Amino acid sequence: MTSIRIAVVGIGNCASSLVQGLEHYREGANDVVGLMHLDMGGYRPSDIKVVAAWDIDRRKVGKDVAEAIFAKPNCTAIFAANVAATGTVVKMGRTLDGVAEHMEAYNDDRTFLPADLPEPTKEDVVRELRESGTDVLMNYLPVGSQEATEFYAECAIEAGVAFVNNIPVFIASNPEWAAKFEAAGVPIIGDDIKAQLGATIVHRVLTDLFAKRGVKLDRTYQLNTGGNTDFLNMSNRKRLASKKVSKTEAVQSVAAERLEDENIHVGPSDYVAWQNDNKVCFLRMEGQLFGGVPMNLELRLSVEDSPNSAGVAIDMIRCAKIASDRGLRGVIDPASAYFCKHPRTQMTDDLAQVAVEEFIKAA
């Protein structure tokens, strides 16, 4: 198989973990921790190469991706410190609604520093995607970047490259956008990446367990805190609406009975600067066992947020390339259901895993 050439929008913590992960496997670490398979449809992680990138922070624009991933305000764990130069320079991106106003109001490590450079047109981005030979465009924009996400989705459609939407802006799960990708003959996987073992996947599995064991779920909450730029961005509640919908529906979709709105609360809760990229989830579920006898479950989960999604991103990239190789168009439902919180078609995680394994084998 040939390599998989990817373009990345947003060189933040998640992009940093992804690029570090590619280096980790390229250095000969052939374990499959965090991956479905080392080989997927003939592709290995070492086959993935970053050939184009965009950001709007002056500390990243103009630098090789291998250097930009370690620039502030990134604060995720460094597990592959010696990332080889990619030969790909981060270019100035399109801002639109990609930055919340309050992001400039913190200390130097947290402040967004805009690059004073001309922003690209759609034609500029499409040209870059085509000339770089990009196969898959990865969207890592901040939560709430509706206009900016739509801009890059349009670029992917026009350039004819697969689109992976890692954020909770609804593109794959939006019928209008799904139809656009279908008509253009371009595959898309989304929306909102599900971590390897994060708050949402744990909450979903436990909710599904309640349903399968006949436990009536009466009410539940999921409260999350973190100190990365994702949590800082989401401290503006106006940017949080789609994220809350995505995380809430991920849980509701596997419940035996849909909970009333007042009985379920799922979503980011607070920004705690010193946590950096560590995310802490507080989960509580209250229900009834046989005879209506009450029970409750409480769980605390602590994870490094961005590496927790990087292996999933590698699998999504490979599924997107497999879809392109097979000439598939529009939403790739098996991959979206397994890897994302808000897919077009929700499935329980066990059924989604079977579906995506069958999709891979069919390749």
Side-chain angles (χ1 to χ4, degrees), residues 12 16 32 38 121 128 147-148 152 196 206 216 227 253 263 334 348:
S16 177
V32 292
L38 179 60
T121 64
E128 179 71 11
E147 294 176 7
Y152 285 103
Q196 179 186 357
L206 287 172
K216 184 178 186 299
S253 66
N263 291 327
T348 58

Side-chain angles (χ1 to χ4, degrees), residues 40 98 103 110 134 163 225 351:
M40 184 182 286
M103 292 293 282
R110 308 288 167 177
T134 296
F163 191 66
T225 65
L351 294 178

Side-chain angles (χ1 to χ4, degrees), residues 18-37:
L18 170 61
V19 175
Q20 288 187 66
L22 297 178
E23 185 70 21
H24 170 73
Y25 287 103
R26 193 170 291 118
E27 285 295 311
N30 291 321
D31 60 82
V32 292
V33 175
L35 302 174
M36 290 189 74
H37 307 288

Side-chain angles (χ1 to χ4, degrees), residues 64-312:
D64 188 287
V65 169
E67 182 182 0
I69 60 172
F70 298 119
K72 295 293 184 182
N74 292 4
C75 59
T76 191
I78 297 175
F79 58 90
N82 299 314
V83 177
T86 65
T88 297
V89 173
V90 179
K91 295 192 172 182
M92 180 64 187
R94 190 71 175 265
T95 303
L96 297 171
D97 58 353
V99 179
E101 293 178 1
H102 72 286
M103 292 293 282
E104 299 185 44
Y106 288 80
N107 62 52
D108 288 343
D109 283 353
R110 308 288 167 177
T111 301
F112 163 69
L113 300 177
D116 187 18
L117 292 168
E119 297 192 4
T121 64
K122 183 169 73 171
E123 291 72 26
D124 293 330
V125 175
V126 170
R127 186 184 311 112
E128 179 71 11
L129 291 171
R130 287 174 174 164
E131 291 180 353
S132 63
T134 296
D135 297 304
V136 181
L137 175 58
M138 299 290 287
N139 180 29
Y140 277 127
L141 287 167
V143 170
S145 304
Q146 182 77 40
E147 294 176 7
T149 295
E150 291 180 355
F151 170 80
Y152 285 103
E154 288 279 9
C155 292
I157 288 173
E158 191 163 325
V161 304
F163 191 66
V164 173
N165 186 32
N166 297 291
I167 75 168
V169 166
F170 304 145
I171 302 294
S173 56
N174 179 311
E176 280 187 31
W177 277 101
K180 287 182 181 182
F181 277 88
E182 178 82 23
V186 176
I188 176 172
I189 297 175
D191 301 308
D192 197 8
I193 191 169
K194 210 188 289 176
Q196 179 186 357
L197 194 76
T200 298
I201 187 69
V202 170
H203 204 167
R204 276 173 59 91
V205 169
L206 287 172
T207 302
D208 187 40
L209 180 65
F210 272 48
K212 288 176 176 174
R213 301 298 294 178
V215 180
K216 184 178 186 299
L217 179 61
D218 291 325
R219 60 191 67 86
T220 184
Y221 67 64
Q222 179 197 128
L223 308 177
N224 302 312
T225 65
N228 57 25
T229 48
D230 190 34
F231 276 88
L232 178 55
N233 171 61
M234 290 187 294
S235 62
N236 179 341
R237 296 293 168 175
K238 292 180 181 178
R239 300 182 69 87
L240 191 56
S242 62
K243 183 72 172 179
K244 285 187 66 64
V245 170
S246 178
K247 289 176 71 67
T248 301
E249 286 305 310
V251 176
Q252 288 275 35
S253 66
V254 295
E257 296 180 4
R258 189 175 181 86
L259 296 173
E260 296 295 330
D261 290 346
E262 63 266 26
N263 291 327
I264 181 169
H265 177 88
V266 182
S269 303
D270 215 342
Y271 170 70
V272 182
W274 57 262
Q275 282 186 229
N276 290 319
D277 197 39
N278 180 248
K279 175 179 177 179
V280 177
C281 162
F282 301 93
L283 177 64
R284 181 177 175 88
M285 303 174 73
E286 298 180 2
Q288 300 174 40
L289 299 170
F290 179 75
V293 177
M295 58 79 63
N296 68 74
L297 175 154
E298 290 197 349
L299 176 148
R300 179 185 184 275
L301 173 68
S302 174
V303 295
E304 195 74 4
D305 201 21
S306 301
N308 202 11
S309 72
V312 178

